[in-house]
Amino acid sequence: MRIVDLEEAINEKRAEMIEIGMAKGLSSEETVVCSQELDRLLNDYRRLTAMQGRSKFPLFREELLTFIQNLQKLIVRPYKLLLPYKSNRFF
């Protein structure tokens, strides 16, 4: 598989995982399976770029960091929405 094809597959799988995670929850079996498939693609990409002596992994690292930060916001969001109600109950 060529690097360009692998990059496209990674981006598609990432978008699919986000969509499934938002629809069915982050701990659903489908989300976990999709995440594992994305990990496999990322590992293949790392291996392929390392073999060719050029790595674009820092670009993906930055994108991955942004994805993780957005995922954390998604996870925390329901608790932030309930926070004012929880604090009012105790007063």
Side-chain angles (χ1 to χ4, degrees):
M1 184 179 267
R2 293 180 350 177
I3 289 178
V4 175
D5 296 333
L6 200 49
E7 289 173 346
E8 186 177 325
I10 288 169
N11 289 329
E12 288 174 4
K13 187 58 70 173
R14 183 179 292 134
E16 179 185 350
M17 184 181 74
I18 292 169
E19 188 176 317
I20 294 171
M22 292 180 72
K24 297 188 178 187
L26 300 176
S27 60
S28 76
E29 186 175 343
E30 285 183 59
T31 306
V32 172
V33 168
C34 193
S35 174
Q36 291 169 345
E37 292 170 358
L38 177 60
D39 288 342
R40 183 186 54 78
L41 288 170
L42 288 169
N43 288 335
D44 290 346
Y45 179 83
R46 184 185 49 79
R47 269 188 236 107
L48 186 60
T49 55
M51 284 189 297
Q52 293 185 356
R54 62 185 185 108
S55 178
K56 292 183 182 176
F57 201 69
L59 296 175
F60 278 106
R61 190 178 312 144
E62 195 173 302
E63 289 178 5
L64 185 61
L65 180 61
T66 302
F67 169 73
I68 290 170
Q69 290 169 341
N70 290 334
L71 194 59
Q72 287 174 331
K73 289 177 186 176
L74 180 65
I75 293 169
V76 173
R77 183 181 299 155
Y79 300 111
K80 284 187 176 180
L81 292 174
L82 293 175
L83 191 61
Y85 300 110
K86 286 183 179 179
S87 63
N88 289 338
R89 283 194 316 197
F90 295 111
F91 289 107

